[in-house]
Amino acid sequence: MNDCIFCRIIKGEIPSKKVYEDEYTYAFEDLNPQAPVHVLVIPKKHIRGLKEAEAVDAEIVGRCHLAAALIAKQRGGEDGYRTVLNVGPGAGQSVFHMHVHLIGGRTLGWPPG
Ligand code: 5GP
Ligand code: ZN
């Protein structure tokens, strides 16, 4: 996807602060962090969002979450952190390449806004 900013970040065409990478996923610092830890974990495969994911994507959806858990552990955030998928514009999804937000490093209120 040439017009997808997250695909362009994976290709290195748009700079990002890489946090983690493996065969299936890429993780980088959010440009506009909402907490001391705010990392985006994305699949290398372009998937528009969770509601567009299919059964064949089950492993990659899980891998994104496991990558987030690994990063949280590396950052010492195991006391509490949150993984969030905003699904659709009504929930605040603004980039249509599926991404898991890893948010932590501060007290997180519930329910989220
Ligand atoms: P969404 O609103 O779709 O759930 O989340 C998109 C996230 O991507 C936002 O938190 C936003 O700050 C982040 N973002 C958008 N464009 C860029 C970019 O070019 N680089 C980085 N690092 N983050 C971005
Ligand atoms: Zn993409």
Side-chain angles (χ1 to χ4, degrees), residues 1 4 6-7 46-47 96-97:
M1 289 280 290
C4 170
F6 286 180
C7 282
H46 179 89
I47 302 170
F96 291 89
H97 179 128

Side-chain angles (χ1 to χ4, degrees), residues 83-96:
T83 57
V84 177
L85 283 117
N86 292 325
V87 185
Q93 186 177 2
S94 61
V95 177
F96 291 89

Side-chain angles (χ1 to χ4, degrees), residues 5-6 9 14-17 28-34 38 40 84-87 91-97 99 101:
I5 58 168
F6 286 180
I9 282 176
I14 295 174
S16 66
K17 288 188 187 161
F28 55 103
E29 304 283 356
D30 196 292
L31 202 57
N32 182 24
Q34 302 301 312
H38 191 169
L40 301 174
V84 177
L85 283 117
N86 292 325
V87 185
Q93 186 177 2
S94 61
V95 177
F96 291 89
H97 179 128
H99 48 281
H101 294 259

